[in-house]
C-alpha cells in the first residue's frame, strides 16, 4: 500500500496512479476543504486520518456527526485511521459508526498501544486488518514516560511480530522531508 500525503500535492510533485491519497484532518481547515479535496481526488482511493486526542498543532476538530455523511457520500474513501489507539475501547465508537463502509485502521502511537496490540487487532471487524505505526509519536511517548530509548526497537519488533504472525498489514507512518 503506497499512501501519499495531501501535503505532497502542495509542491506539484506527480504521484503514482495506484497511490492512495491520505487526507489528515489535522491539516484540513474546514469541512468545505475536506469536500474539495475529496472531489479533486475522486479518481483515487482515499485514506482519511482522524486525529483523536491530538495535542500538537495543528489540531482542527470536527464532529463525528458532521463527518459521517461526507465520508459516506464519497465511495472512493476506503480507509479511516483513528489516532492514538491504546485499547479496543478506543475503537468501539468508530467501529459502530464507520465499519459498515470503511476499513478502520488503528494508529499506534504509544507503548500502551503496542502492549495492547492483540486486544486492538482482535476488535477490528474488517476482512483486511491494517494497523499504522507512528514512529515519531511512539518515540516521543516513550521519552515522556522516561523510558529508555533502547525500548523503541523492542516495541517495533513486538508490533511487527504480532502483525506477521496474525497476517495483519503494518503500515509505517514516517516523517518525510521534501527538498526542492
Amino acid at each position: 500500500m503506497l499512501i501519499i500525503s495531501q501535503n505532497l500535492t502542495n509542491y506539484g510533485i506527480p504521484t503514482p496512479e495506484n497511490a492512495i491519497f491520505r487526507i489528515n484532518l489535522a491539516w484540513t481547515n474546514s469541512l468545505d476543504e475536506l469536500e474539495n479535496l475529496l472531489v479533486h481526488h475522486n479518481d483515487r482511493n482515499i485514506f482519511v486520518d482522524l486525529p483523536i486526542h491530538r495535542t500538537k498543532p495543528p489540531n482542527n476538530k470536527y464532529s463525528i456527526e458532521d463527518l459521517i455523511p461526507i465520508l459516506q457520500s464519497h465511495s472512493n474513501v476506503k480507509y479511516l485511521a483513528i489516532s492514538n489507539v491504546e485499547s479496543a475501547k478506543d475503537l468501539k465508537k468508530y467501529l459502530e459508526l464507520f465499519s459498515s463502509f470503511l476499513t478502520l485502521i488503528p494508529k499506534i502511537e504509544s507503548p500502551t498501544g503496542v502492549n495492547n496490540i492483540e486486544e486492538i487487532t482482535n476488535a477490528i471487524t474488517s476482512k483486511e486488518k491494517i494497523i499504522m505505526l507512528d514512529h515519531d509519536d511512539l518515540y516521543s511517548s516513550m521519552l515522556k514516560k522516561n523510558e529508555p530509548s533502547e525500548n523503541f526497537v523492542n516495541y517495533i519488533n513486538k508490533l511487527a511480530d504480532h502483525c506477521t504472525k496474525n497476517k495483519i498489514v503494518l503500515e509505517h507512518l514516517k516523517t518525510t522531508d521534501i527538498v526542492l
Side-chain angles (χ1 to χ4, degrees):
M1 180 182 298
L2 175 61
I3 302 172
I4 302 293
S5 170
Q6 74 200 58
N7 295 326
L8 190 62
T9 61
N10 295 337
Y11 302 99
I13 298 171
T15 58
E17 287 183 26
N18 65 336
I20 297 168
F21 188 72
R22 176 179 176 241
I23 299 173
N24 187 339
L25 291 176
W27 292 92
T28 307
N29 296 315
S30 68
L31 293 174
D32 287 338
E33 184 179 340
L34 171 61
E35 281 276 5
N36 289 337
L37 284 167
L38 292 171
V39 168
H40 183 73
H41 297 283
N42 66 353
D43 60 337
R44 294 188 178 266
N45 285 339
I46 303 288
F47 178 109
V48 175
D49 196 332
L50 181 62
I52 302 299
H53 310 297
R54 184 179 171 101
T55 56
K56 61 187 177 187
N59 193 8
N60 296 313
K61 296 184 190 286
Y62 310 97
S63 85
I64 296 301
E65 292 74 24
D66 289 338
L67 287 173
I68 292 170
I70 294 170
L71 299 180
Q72 280 181 321
S73 67
H74 295 275
S75 61
N76 59 326
V77 177
K78 303 294 184 188
Y79 307 95
L80 179 64
I82 309 300
S83 296
N84 297 300
V85 173
E86 293 190 331
S87 71
K89 185 175 127 184
D90 294 336
L91 286 176
K92 187 177 186 323
K93 172 173 61 172
Y94 305 100
L95 287 166
E96 291 168 2
L97 294 172
F98 296 105
S99 67
S100 65
F101 63 98
L102 294 174
T103 298
L104 292 181
I105 302 173
K107 284 178 63 181
I108 307 302
E109 304 180 49
S110 70
T112 303
V114 174
N115 289 332
N116 292 331
I117 195 60
E118 185 171 355
E119 169 194 328
I120 292 166
T121 56
N122 285 341
I124 301 170
T125 58
S126 58
K127 183 178 176 183
E128 181 181 30
K129 293 187 177 193
I130 305 169
I131 63 164
M132 181 172 271
L133 169 63
D134 187 320
H135 294 84
D136 294 347
D137 286 346
L138 173 60
Y139 192 77
S140 296
S141 178
M142 284 177 43
L143 294 180
K144 286 178 188 172
K145 294 178 181 188
N146 294 316
E147 288 195 35
S149 60
E150 299 80 40
N151 288 357
F152 183 66
V153 172
N154 295 334
Y155 285 124
I156 292 175
N157 288 340
K158 179 177 182 175
L159 205 53
D161 289 346
H162 174 78
C163 290
T164 299
K165 288 177 188 168
N166 294 284
K167 298 181 178 154
I168 298 167
V169 176
L170 175 60
E171 289 293 327
H172 298 267
L173 181 63
K174 299 176 188 136
T175 304
T176 303
D177 293 331
I178 298 174
V179 179
L180 299 177

